């Protein structure tokens, strides 16, 4: 027998996008069901570094950081190689302050700001993301929201006019039908764990280390696809460069290259401009022997380690035995199996180019995305961190409007169906800027909830009239 639930809004997926939407809608008085296929909530979000990208914040002002919405827009377009949908970017910038304030009002503390991949200002705001998600969920329950964990959405339900009116969920082999009066929101994340979809859209990425939320197999994308949804950015899937080959379920990623390291292959040669987005580097490293890029740096960069802060915590990496140290570059090369003679030559050329202020062999001019002066590698001890590409995220998927309506292959709207977060495409274009995925999850999660509340109010008024 089928169990049936009725609600105003059905949100499928409990990451940052789903939980922001669910909480905001519940606080507006809507009856919300949040469905999650896994036993634990949070998807890739709770595995993430917790960085949100915002400009014009209190934290930036307090630290004298100059940033603006215009600069933010320019950076996103440059990182995305102008393949991102400007309307989605504009929607993010229009709503970023409201979202930032909403997060703070709901207890989020931004403990540090930092510059990272694709940014030309310190715009990444770090949060303790597990605590954030636990707290948002507590507030959702307190607002009367209903959570169905271990309920996997398998099919979207439509009425005779083709409008999406609910979904079928699988709960331990039994079907549960959820009817949703004011919309169904797909917030099912990407397909970093979806081997079949990776084989279809980005087969080369099967060589990256699998990572991301265990439930992120692309279910939402398939459900929308079945209804004729269009897709965007499907050719841009890339892992993130910077994780040790033995990285397990604990997230380990080092971006010493944004602090002054170079990256060499096993032949001791640099192969790309290290200041680019770590997604671009993730694509480049797959073509190198064994898919390996070894971060090489000296004592100056080692001193920039920031214990406890994701991407910068060399102490934790050293404790796991993944960071190699040696008194000379030759010894270091031997430790990590890199061609020693070539490594010395590579470092020599790099240092000489910095001293002369002349062009570097891979065209690098800055530490990160045009910002920060390059540092010679000349102070012992020397360090090496061998790293591969980690398949954390896919950043492509269902095409959406700035109101998160799902757009079909003919450019029409699939009524009643919305998509937010990593299941969507079109926002990032060719590559991603740190913090814009948690950021877009929250921005569009809040937007879609506000729209649902407005729709519900209109429809209720219409029914009374
Ligand atoms: C290691 C790592 C570090 C990262 N660091 C950052 C960072 O610092 N800043 C940043 O902006 N981004 C970061 N990202 C990317 C970011 O975390 C994700 O893109 C973002 O959290 C996605 O949020 P989401 O809500 O869309 O999806 P998720 O958080 O992945 O949530 C999707 C949920 O949907 C569930 N689901 C899937 N299918 C179904 C179904 N059929 N029925 C019910 N539930 C379903 C999944 O189980 C999952 O719980 C990182 C990612 C990783 C993996």
């Amino acid at each position: 027998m089928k169990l049936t639930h009725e609600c105003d809004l059905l949100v499928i997926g409990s990451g940052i996008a789903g939980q922001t939407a669910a909480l905001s809608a519940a606080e507006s008085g809507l009856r919300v069901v949040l469905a999650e296929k896994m036993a634990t909530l949070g998807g890739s979000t709770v595995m993430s570094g917790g960085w949100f990208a915002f400009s014009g914040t209190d934290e930036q002002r307090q630290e004298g950081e100059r940033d603006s919405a215009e600069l933010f827009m320019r950076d996103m377009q440059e990182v995305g190689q102008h393949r991102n949908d400007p309307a989605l970017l504009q929607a993010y910038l229009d709503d970023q302050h409201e979202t930032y304030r909403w997060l703070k009002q709901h207890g989020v503390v931004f403990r540090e700001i930092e510059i990272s991949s694709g940014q030309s200002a310190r715009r990444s705001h770090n949060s303790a993301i597990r605590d954030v998600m636990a707290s948002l969920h507590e507030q959702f329950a307190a607002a009367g929201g209903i959570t169905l964990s271990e309920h996997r959405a398998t099919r979207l339900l439509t009425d005779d006019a083709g409008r999406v009116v609910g979904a079928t969920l699988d709960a331990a082999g039994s079907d549960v039908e959820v009817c949703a009066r004011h919309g169904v929101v797909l917030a099912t994340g990407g397909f970093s764990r979806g081997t079949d979809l990776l084989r279809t859209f980005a087969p080369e990425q099967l060589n990256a280390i699998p990572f991301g939320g265990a439930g992120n197999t692309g279910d939402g994308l398939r459900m929308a696809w079945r209804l004729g949804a269009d897709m965007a950015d499907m050719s841009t899937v890339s892992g993130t460069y910077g994780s040790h080959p033995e990285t397990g379920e604990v997230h380990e990623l080092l971006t010493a290259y944004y602090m002054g390291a170079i990256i060499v292959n096993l032949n001791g040669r640099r192969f790309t401009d290290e200041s680019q987005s770590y997604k671009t580097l993730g694509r480049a490293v797959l073509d190198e022997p064994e898919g390996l890029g070894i971060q090489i740096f000296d004592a100056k960069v080692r001193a920039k380690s920031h214990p406890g802060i994701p991407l910068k915590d060399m102490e934790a990496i050293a404790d796991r035995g993944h960071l190699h140290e040696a008194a000379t570059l030759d010894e270091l090369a031997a430790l990590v199996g890199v061609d020693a003679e070539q490594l010395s030559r590579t470092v020599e050329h790099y240092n000489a180019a910095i001293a002369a202020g002349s062009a570097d062999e891979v065209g690098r001019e800055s530490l990160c995305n045009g910002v920060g002066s390059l540092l010679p590698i000349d102070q012992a001890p020397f360090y090496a961190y061998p790293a591969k590409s980690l398949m954390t995220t896919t950043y492509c998927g269902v095409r959406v409007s700035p109101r998160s309506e799902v757009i079909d292959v003919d450019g029409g709207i699939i009524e009643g169906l919305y998509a937010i977060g990593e299941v969507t495409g079109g926002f990032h274009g060719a590559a991603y800027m740190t913090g814009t995925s948690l950021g877009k999850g929250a921005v569009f999660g809040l937007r879609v909830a506000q729209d649902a509340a407005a729709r519900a109010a209109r429809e209720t008024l219409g029914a009374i009239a």
Side-chain angles (χ1 to χ4, degrees):
M1 213 181 80
K2 266 187 201 148
L3 188 68
T4 307
H5 289 276
E6 290 215 346
C7 64
D8 292 315
L9 193 68
L10 169 62
V11 179
I12 306 173
S14 66
I16 184 71
Q19 293 220 36
T20 306
L23 170 55
S24 171
E27 285 182 339
S28 305
L30 298 191
R31 187 172 162 77
V32 182
V33 170
L34 176 66
E36 167 57 52
K37 77 194 252 192
M38 305 303 287
T40 49
L41 305 182
S44 287
T45 301
V46 291
M47 303 171 80
S48 79
W51 300 98
F52 287 77
F54 295 123
S55 64
T57 64
D58 300 341
E59 289 76 10
Q60 285 184 320
R61 262 189 300 278
Q62 277 151 19
E63 299 200 19
E65 187 67 16
R66 291 165 71 93
D67 196 7
S68 65
E70 292 71 32
L71 188 59
F72 195 168
M73 175 65 103
R74 197 197 68 192
D75 286 352
M76 285 194 285
Q77 288 182 316
E78 277 181 10
V79 175
Q81 293 173 15
H82 297 267
R83 287 158 66 182
N84 12 26
D85 178 346
L88 295 179
L89 300 183
Q90 193 56 54
Y92 185 109
L93 295 175
D94 288 347
D95 284 12
Q96 60 161 337
H97 290 143
E98 187 186 348
T99 308
Y100 161 80
R101 296 263 165 244
W102 185 91
L103 289 168
K104 288 183 110 170
Q105 280 155 11
H106 287 80
V108 178
V109 174
F110 294 115
R111 52 193 182 178
E112 153 140 8
I113 58 167
E114 201 38 276
I115 190 166
S116 192
S117 178
Q119 302 177 347
S120 52
R122 291 194 301 146
R123 176 182 302 139
S124 292
H125 293 63
N126 192 248
S127 65
I129 194 69
R130 281 184 173 273
D131 299 345
V132 168
M133 296 306 288
S135 158
L136 294 183
H137 190 249
E138 258 172 42
Q139 295 172 69
F140 173 63
I146 297 161
T147 303
L148 303 175
S149 55
E150 294 188 272
H151 280 63
R152 184 171 72 90
T154 53
R155 190 169 279 271
L156 297 166
L157 302 172
T158 50
D159 65 12
D160 293 344
R163 182 189 169 85
V164 175
V165 290
T168 304
L169 314 178
D170 174 82
S174 300
D175 276 355
V176 174
E177 253 178 25
V178 181
C179 302
R181 278 180 290 272
H182 302 296
V184 173
V185 182
L186 295 173
T188 45
F191 53 92
S192 64
R193 299 283 188 170
T195 311
D196 291 352
L197 287 175
L198 284 175
R199 195 169 286 121
T200 303
F201 291 109
E204 73 289 350
Q205 297 298 328
L206 291 167
N207 294 327
I209 305 169
F211 211 72
N216 291 26
T217 51
D219 299 355
L221 179 61
R222 284 176 195 278
M223 285 187 282
W225 194 355
R226 201 177 287 136
L227 296 189
D230 197 5
M231 299 182 200
D233 295 341
M234 302 309 290
S235 63
T236 64
V237 176
S238 174
T240 304
Y241 167 73
S243 294
H244 193 272
E246 282 156 24
T247 295
E249 285 306 302
V250 175
H251 183 223
E252 175 180 314
L253 193 128
L254 181 64
T255 55
Y257 41 96
Y258 294 147
M259 306 176 209
I262 56 169
I263 306 172
V264 300
N265 62 16
L266 285 169
N267 302 325
R269 292 181 189 278
R270 295 169 71 203
F271 51 89
T272 192
D273 172 357
E274 297 91 344
S275 71
Q276 300 170 95
S277 158
Y278 46 37
K279 287 286 183 190
T280 308
L281 301 179
R283 212 168 290 134
V285 79
L286 289 178
D287 295 333
E288 299 307 313
E290 297 181 30
L292 260 184
I294 300 114
Q295 299 179 34
I296 303 285
F297 50 97
D298 69 359
K300 296 192 291 300
V301 171
R302 178 70 179 83
K304 294 186 187 182
S305 169
H306 199 152
I309 297 296
L311 317 187
K312 303 177 79 177
D313 188 347
M314 297 184 201
E315 271 62 34
I317 288 173
D319 287 348
R320 283 185 215 116
H322 293 169
L323 188 64
H324 302 270
E325 178 183 325
T328 65
L329 283 172
D330 277 359
E331 285 169 36
L332 191 68
L335 283 179
V336 287
V338 166
D339 181 319
E341 256 178 52
Q342 181 57 47
L343 178 65
S344 291
R345 264 199 303 276
T346 299
V347 171
E348 224 172 83
H349 287 160
Y350 180 67
N351 291 349
I354 295 172
S358 60
D360 157 314
E361 64 180 306
V362 292
R364 185 181 192 178
E365 291 177 347
S366 67
L367 292 181
C368 176
N369 200 42
V371 177
S373 302
L374 300 179
L375 305 166
I377 299 173
D378 57 4
Q379 268 181 37
F382 298 98
Y383 297 87
Y385 178 67
K388 290 190 151 191
S389 179
L390 193 68
M391 179 30 71
T392 49
T393 46
T394 42
Y395 296 145
C396 60
V398 177
R399 189 182 294 283
V400 285
S401 74
R403 304 241 72 94
S404 301
E405 299 142 314
V406 175
I407 296 175
D408 71 20
V409 284
D410 296 319
I413 280 167
I414 301 180
E415 296 289 338
L417 186 62
Y418 302 85
I420 52 175
E422 205 188 311
V423 68
T424 63
F427 183 86
H428 300 287
Y432 143 94
M433 173 199 293
T434 301
T436 50
S437 190
L438 293 179
K440 86 176 176 186
V443 164
F444 291 98
L446 209 53
R447 259 185 168 230
V448 89
Q450 289 167 348
D451 284 354
R455 225 170 25 249
R458 272 197 313 274
E459 286 168 21
T460 308
L461 272 179
I464 293 168

